[in-house]
Amino acid sequence: MRKKTVLAAAFVAAAALTLSACGSSDDGAKKPVADVSVQAKTKAATVLDQPFTKPDLVLTDTHGKKYDLREQTKGKPTLIYFGYTHCPDICPLVMSNIAIAKKSLPKADQDKLQVVFVTTDPERDTPSSLDSWLKAQDPSFIGLTGDFPTIQAGARQIGIGVDAPKKEKDGTVVSMHGSQVIAFSPKTDQGYLVYGEDTSPDDYAKDLPEIIKGETP
């Protein structure tokens, strides 16, 4: 049985999503970037008291075609994650955990679930490179790229901070971005659940059947 912790109002006001230093040589320090109002915390997901509206994003998919996020995922259970393919740790782990969990679903549910990966490093993550990287995770995953300001603005619409990639002194390119996965309901098209980078495949596997039905795990 899942533990459900109701957060005090003062804590809710101070709650924040964070930026993760993917690919950095530092200690992975994080900083707050956006307030998010939460209703309760289950074992895996944070349930949002005020759900996010799906980002108004029109980008380019791995086939080089225009992809209207709102229109093409309308009425579908959708997981959205912002990251980049050159990340050595968090991004591939998050996507791999989702891919493992998705495979545990019945085929009909697998076909319904939309998993969208939006790059935070569009200069290097071209449609073709995104395609190759995501196919190694799950061929059905949707990869999107485009101009950085558009991507950054879209991420902010769901409370996720994204900084422009920068080159460190050692030549490493670092992309600072929030590492949360946002789940959107097929009933309302609103993002009502937030998952952290430490969410396991088992956690996702338990929750996905409910997400696909538009219910709260």
Side-chain angles (χ1 to χ4, degrees):
M1 186 175 182
R2 295 187 172 187
K3 181 179 179 182
K4 192 172 183 179
T5 306
V6 179
L7 304 179
F11 181 78
V12 169
L17 302 185
T18 60
L19 288 178
S20 294
C22 290
S24 173
S25 58
D26 62 18
D27 61 359
K30 298 178 180 180
K31 60 182 180 180
V33 295
D35 287 341
V36 56
S37 177
V38 297
Q39 181 183 63
K41 174 73 176 177
T42 68
K43 182 178 178 181
T46 298
V47 182
L48 299 180
D49 185 41
Q50 296 182 337
F52 290 117
T53 298
K54 193 171 288 181
D56 185 12
L57 270 176
V58 179
L59 296 169
T60 302
D61 66 15
T62 54
H63 304 291
K65 296 181 179 180
K66 183 177 76 171
Y67 190 95
D68 186 323
L69 181 65
R70 283 185 179 175
E71 184 62 30
Q72 293 183 244
T73 62
K74 186 177 181 180
K76 300 176 182 179
T78 305
L79 302 182
I80 296 178
Y81 180 76
F82 287 79
Y84 69 119
T85 66
H86 289 78
C87 173
D89 39 39
I90 296 173
C91 299
L93 177 62
V94 169
M95 299 309 288
S96 176
N97 287 346
I98 295 173
I100 292 169
K102 181 172 175 280
K103 290 176 182 177
S104 71
L105 297 172
K107 182 63 167 59
D109 283 349
Q110 289 188 43
D111 292 342
K112 292 176 185 176
L113 183 65
Q114 307 293 296
V115 180
V116 180
F117 180 91
V118 184
T119 182
T120 59
D121 184 13
E123 186 173 335
R124 292 188 294 171
D125 284 344
T126 62
S128 60
S129 64
L130 264 178
D131 184 54
S132 297
W133 190 81
L134 287 172
K135 277 183 177 176
Q137 301 283 353
D138 186 308
S140 73
F141 284 179
I142 299 161
L144 301 179
T145 187
D147 65 275
F148 181 79
T150 298
I151 291 169
Q152 184 181 52
R156 285 176 176 168
Q157 290 175 39
I158 53 173
I160 294 179
V162 175
D163 284 350
K166 65 177 182 178
K167 184 175 289 187
E168 302 284 81
K169 292 181 179 179
D170 63 0
T172 302
V173 177
V174 178
S175 177
M176 295 284 289
H177 62 86
S179 57
Q180 293 76 21
V181 174
I182 313 294
F184 288 80
S185 167
K187 293 180 178 178
T188 64
D189 280 319
Q190 292 188 316
Y192 68 117
L193 300 172
V194 179
Y195 291 89
E197 63 191 55
D198 57 348
T199 304
S200 71
D202 286 344
D203 288 332
Y204 280 119
K206 290 175 184 176
D207 287 4
L208 285 177
E210 304 304 312
I211 292 172
I212 288 168
K213 291 184 290 186
E215 298 177 358
T216 300

